[in-house]
Amino acid sequence: MKSVAAQQNVTLTCPRKSGHKENLFWIRIISGHQPEFLGGTYGFDYEGVHQTPHFTTKQEPGTFILNIHQSQISDTGLYYCIQTETLQMSFVRRVFLMVKGPQSSISGIIQNPPSDPVHPGESVSLQCSVLSDSEKKTCVLYCAVAACGEVMFGNGVKLDIKYRNTRTLSNTEIALCIVCVALAISVTVSVYLIWTRKKQDGSGGETRFLYNYVLTPSAAVN
């Protein structure tokens, strides 16, 4: 197994014995697709290059290489180097390539086992829950089955993850809030002024009472 990050260039090698009559081929198998021919060469030294925008196959001393330019997640699959001679075919090299994307936003996967026992030949449905930290993202989820050293992928399901929009205040609600705040301030100021006025009036009456009380005895003496 070979694991690489997306956009990374990948080189796979296959041993080659110079001078032999066998031919070598690179193919890949991706679940849900037909086997794909990527390039081939002769057993003897050959300078020919099989090149596409994404793949390049060519000979190097003692090896037959496959270059993948800027690998994509969709390049994940099984890659085989096959040797053929007349009607015989053998697998010289097998590599499972796993291309990883950016750091996953999936925080957990919960899988519940079947509640009932399963017997050979019976069909069974498996379910799992995917916990994602992403607020808004479009992704494709694949069902993968690992068995006997091979990994098989399903067709995939496209999933749109959208976060809940936070409700924003309308212009009418904002204006109403401003009016309420202004009204509260106005009432507070009015109460304060009334209280201050009453306090002043109460102090003035007390002063006049004391003034009359002091002057009254003097006037009686005179």
Side-chain angles (χ1 to χ4, degrees):
M1 178 176 176
K2 185 179 182 67
S3 179
V4 298
Q7 299 299 316
Q8 181 179 347
N9 294 333
V10 180
T11 299
L12 304 180
T13 62
C14 179
R16 179 182 66 88
K17 296 181 180 180
S18 178
H20 285 67
K21 297 182 294 181
E22 298 88 351
N23 297 324
L24 295 174
F25 302 94
W26 273 108
I27 66 170
R28 73 171 178 177
I29 300 176
I30 297 178
S31 178
H33 297 78
Q34 295 291 333
E36 183 179 358
F37 171 80
L38 304 178
T41 190
Y42 301 106
F44 55 84
D45 293 339
Y46 177 66
E47 296 181 356
V49 177
H50 186 275
Q51 187 172 10
T52 68
H54 195 52
F55 299 103
T56 300
T57 59
K58 63 180 180 178
Q59 285 189 11
E60 287 190 355
T63 185
F64 176 48
I65 67 170
L66 166 66
N67 287 327
I68 304 175
H69 178 65
Q70 293 185 351
S71 60
Q72 305 293 328
I73 296 179
S74 58
D75 290 323
T76 297
L78 283 168
Y79 290 75
Y80 291 93
C81 177
I82 299 176
Q83 178 179 285
T84 63
E85 181 181 3
T86 59
L87 298 179
Q88 296 182 352
M89 181 180 70
S90 60
F91 292 89
V92 180
R93 180 83 187 277
R94 183 186 69 177
V95 179
F96 177 72
L97 179 65
M98 172 67 74
V99 182
K100 298 180 179 180
Q103 184 177 1
S104 176
S105 61
I106 296 177
S107 58
I109 298 177
I110 303 174
Q111 182 175 355
N112 298 321
S115 57
D116 299 325
V118 181
H119 301 90
E122 294 181 347
S123 299
V124 61
S125 297
L126 301 178
Q127 295 181 347
C128 65
S129 300
V130 179
L131 306 180
S132 176
D133 298 330
S134 176
E135 293 182 347
K136 185 176 182 181
K137 188 176 182 180
T138 299
C139 57
V140 179
L141 301 181
Y142 289 90
C143 173
V145 177
C148 302
E150 296 184 357
V151 179
M152 295 169 285
F153 291 89
N155 295 328
V157 177
K158 184 177 181 181
L159 180 65
D160 292 328
I161 303 175
K162 297 181 180 180
Y163 63 93
R164 296 180 179 178
N165 292 326
T166 303
R167 192 178 71 88
T168 58
L169 296 176
S170 63
N171 293 334
T172 303
E173 292 173 326
I174 295 175
L176 182 60
C177 291
I178 294 175
V179 171
C180 291
V181 172
L183 181 60
I185 294 174
S186 176
V187 171
T188 303
V189 173
S190 298
V191 171
Y192 175 76
L193 293 176
I194 293 173
W195 178 79
T196 304
R197 182 64 179 272
K198 286 185 177 183
K199 184 177 180 181
Q200 291 176 351
D201 292 344
S203 299
E206 183 180 358
T207 302
R208 288 194 297 271
F209 174 76
L210 293 174
Y211 177 76
N212 292 334
Y213 178 80
V214 172
L215 291 181
T216 300
S218 300
V221 176
N222 293 336

